[in-house]
Amino acid sequence: MTGLVSASVKGLQGTIGVPGDKSISHRALMIGGMAVGETTIRGLLLGDDVLCTAAALEAMGVTIDRDSDELWRVHGVGVGGLKEPNNVLDLRNSGTGARLLMGLVATHPIQVQFTGDDSLRTRPMGRIATPLSQMGTQVIARDGDKMPLTVIGARMAIPIQYALPVPSAQIKSAVLLAGLNTPGETSVIETRPSRDHTELMLRHFGATISVEDEAADRRVITLTGQPELESKEVIVLGDPSSAAFPLVAALITPGSEVTIQNVGLNPLRIGLIDTLREMGAQIEVTDARDQAGEPVADLVVKTSQIKGVVVPPERAPSMIDEYPILAVAAAAADGITRMQGLAELRVKESDRLAAIADGLVACGVAVEIDGDDLIITGDPDQIPGGVTVESRMDHRIAMSFLVLGMTAKNPIAIDDAHHIATSFPSFLTLMNEIGGKIEENS
Ligand code: S3P
């Protein structure tokens, strides 16, 4: 599959489920890999990013069997049990896989080389190397903080208390995973809470982990090192970051009503839903339930007249991956949307701030970048489209502009759809199943 093109449609209808959560899938494999005995995982995301993590763990001695697409079995090696891989670990497009695995191996007495694709090799890894070096790990990276890089694991790891310089679940998780094979207590301090799937999953596997909100801007997460993790059953919920695409599509396409089943609604992941509701979106949460500590529900979304809003910077961690699709909603809303404090978007799979702005401008939408803020002047009747947008090796940029094509005056194409498979391999099928008109563009 190379390019795709998406044409305007009306009346999206149907009930769908989205694939498993990418963040939870990586963590289930890694933490299952550090447990003793057999962990079963149902609903794992079969996206390229997660498959890279599985391959990396296998290269370090974890046995992973795929009974069926639905059921995976992980035979863990126990905390501290990873062996040195005999080849470079290639995490391709996956920043989460790379960064969390760097943490996991950092306190094993092994050397591991990491690399990735053209996108991952541009992304900063110093943010992970800095705390790991305080724990006694050595990281030797190209250009100081880029892949390819080598992690030389600490033989006698030192527990640290690390205050995150930016709100990032990847940095937090890398430190906590390094803390697994570290004696004593490893702590991470957050000023703005980020997704807590690592904490929840470690606790699910029997680790002692405390979370203290010491002040409004100080959350301290403390892991007691060298636990014996027990193998468990994990059920991976639908990814809210993937659900965001059919959700916004239904919202901005006239005459639509779509139900998305089994969506994970961890409170630290629902900034997009809060924002869309502030914009006037009709999103109903039904059948809310709990699965192994993670809230889950079905979402019913109807076409809505939405208007521009201000999205405050403190909301960013809870919707960090959703800005590209929020920008699409903002383009189809009435008036100005100002999204504040988006510096972190510059270091995602692409420079998302530039990718969103350039793509929207090409589609005829009024956009401005002001410092770290993105300002979009929306008009549902004025999205000319009729262009090809560069996806920049970024799945979420690709999917967002295909959703915009569903409501633009003229079709919107993307030059390369390849990376959609990193997080949402069934995107094309599902979007067309509810009434989209997305096809290959030769
Ligand atoms: C993720 C954390 C986020 C997010 C990424 C997944 C995770 O990155 O963008 O897609 O699973 O921990 P940051 O923590 O760097 O913001």
Side-chain angles (χ1 to χ4, degrees):
M1 179 164 57
T2 47
L4 289 175
V5 60
S6 173
S8 142
V9 286
K10 285 201 167 55
L12 300 181
Q13 296 288 334
T15 299
I16 54 171
V18 289
D21 189 286
K22 182 155 74 70
S23 295
I24 298 178
S25 294
H26 284 298
R27 287 156 172 84
L29 287 170
M30 289 183 205
I31 297 172
M34 302 313 294
V36 175
E38 183 185 276
T39 286
T40 55
I41 309 175
R42 285 170 209 278
L44 191 82
L45 168 64
L46 305 176
D48 288 349
D49 280 10
V50 174
L51 300 179
C52 283
T53 288
L57 289 167
E58 284 181 306
M60 294 190 285
V62 178
T63 305
I64 302 178
D65 297 320
R66 182 172 172 169
D67 273 17
S68 65
D69 282 356
E70 246 319 287
L71 179 63
W72 289 61
R73 295 178 194 280
V74 179
H75 298 268
V77 293
V79 168
L82 292 175
K83 70 174 180 53
E84 190 163 294
N86 61 15
N87 205 346
V88 178
L89 302 184
D90 185 354
L91 274 301
R92 292 165 48 161
N93 199 247
S94 179
T96 306
R99 292 186 173 130
L100 270 55
L101 283 169
M102 282 174 69
L104 198 66
V105 305
T107 49
H108 284 72
I110 58 176
Q111 268 197 37
V112 186
Q113 278 90 37
F114 287 91
T115 194
D117 67 10
D118 288 348
S119 155
L120 186 54
R121 280 185 284 105
T122 65
R123 299 183 66 184
M125 296 295 155
R127 51 178 56 200
I128 304 296
T130 299
L132 296 184
S133 64
Q134 293 174 13
M135 299 177 87
T137 305
Q138 230 186 310
V139 179
I140 303 163
R142 177 181 64 85
D143 252 2
D145 81 336
K146 303 283 190 310
M147 290 188 164
L149 58 78
T150 301
V151 175
I152 304 170
R155 283 180 183 275
M156 298 265 282
I158 307 157
I160 58 168
Q161 240 209 6
Y162 190 68
L164 294 183
V166 285
S168 163
Q170 292 182 352
I171 308 177
K172 169 175 65 177
S173 302
V175 174
L176 292 174
L177 292 173
L180 273 180
N181 197 31
T182 301
E185 293 189 334
T186 296
S187 300
V188 178
I189 301 159
E190 293 188 302
T191 47
R192 286 184 192 162
S194 61
R195 67 190 71 192
D196 60 356
H197 303 301
T198 302
E199 297 90 305
L200 293 174
M201 183 87 58
L202 282 169
R203 194 173 287 146
H204 181 57
F205 277 79
T208 301
I209 186 157
S210 68
V211 180
E212 302 284 341
D213 284 315
E214 292 183 351
D217 60 352
R218 189 178 160 90
R219 172 171 286 188
V220 184
I221 301 136
T222 303
L223 171 73
T224 305
Q226 299 183 316
E228 175 141 330
L229 299 179
E230 309 144 19
S231 53
K232 287 281 172 192
E233 244 183 68
V234 178
I235 299 173
V236 183
L237 316 169
D239 196 328
S241 298
S242 296
F245 298 101
L247 191 142
V248 169
L251 206 58
I252 63 175
T253 305
S256 300
E257 177 167 344
V258 171
T259 301
I260 312 164
Q261 292 178 313
N262 197 37
V263 183
L265 291 181
N266 180 306
L268 295 165
R269 296 283 299 279
I270 56 171
L272 176 74
I273 295 178
D274 293 342
T275 304
L276 291 173
R277 281 184 163 155
E278 281 175 17
M279 294 171 86
Q282 302 178 66
I283 304 169
E284 204 189 322
V285 175
T286 62
D287 197 14
R289 54 213 185 267
D290 201 86
Q291 220 162 64
E294 294 271 4
V296 56
D298 299 346
L299 300 178
V300 184
V301 53
K302 294 187 187 143
T303 309
S304 312
Q305 290 216 318
I306 49 176
K307 58 174 181 18
V309 290
V310 175
V311 188
E314 45 300 346
R315 201 176 290 161
S318 68
M319 55 177 298
I320 194 67
D321 290 334
E322 279 66 81
Y323 286 100
I325 192 65
L326 176 64
V328 166
D334 250 325
I336 298 174
T337 295
R338 185 177 191 117
M339 307 173 200
Q340 299 173 317
L342 305 189
E344 275 296 294
L345 290 199
R346 294 200 167 91
V347 291
K348 294 296 175 188
E349 285 82 333
S350 66
D351 174 346
R352 282 190 179 153
L353 208 47
I356 296 168
D358 295 351
L360 286 179
V361 167
C363 292
V365 177
V367 186
E368 198 191 316
I369 295 178
D370 177 17
D372 293 333
D373 294 0
L374 182 66
I375 305 154
I376 297 173
T377 305
D379 182 342
D381 304 316
Q382 272 314 323
I383 306 169
V387 289
T388 300
V389 172
E390 275 181 51
S391 59
R392 306 186 189 201
M393 302 186 78
D394 188 329
H395 52 139
R396 300 198 204 281
I397 294 297
M399 291 186 277
S400 297
F401 281 96
L402 291 169
V403 170
L404 188 63
M406 299 172 92
T407 197
K409 285 210 161 78
N410 301 289
I412 295 176
I414 49 151
D415 61 341
D416 184 2
H418 189 78
H419 293 91
I420 292 175
T422 60
S423 68
F424 198 165
S426 53
F427 173 80
L428 182 61
T429 315
L430 282 182
M431 295 304 279
N432 286 344
E433 205 174 289
I434 55 174
K437 214 170 126 202
I438 305 176
E439 39 190 59
E440 282 192 32
N441 193 26
S442 43

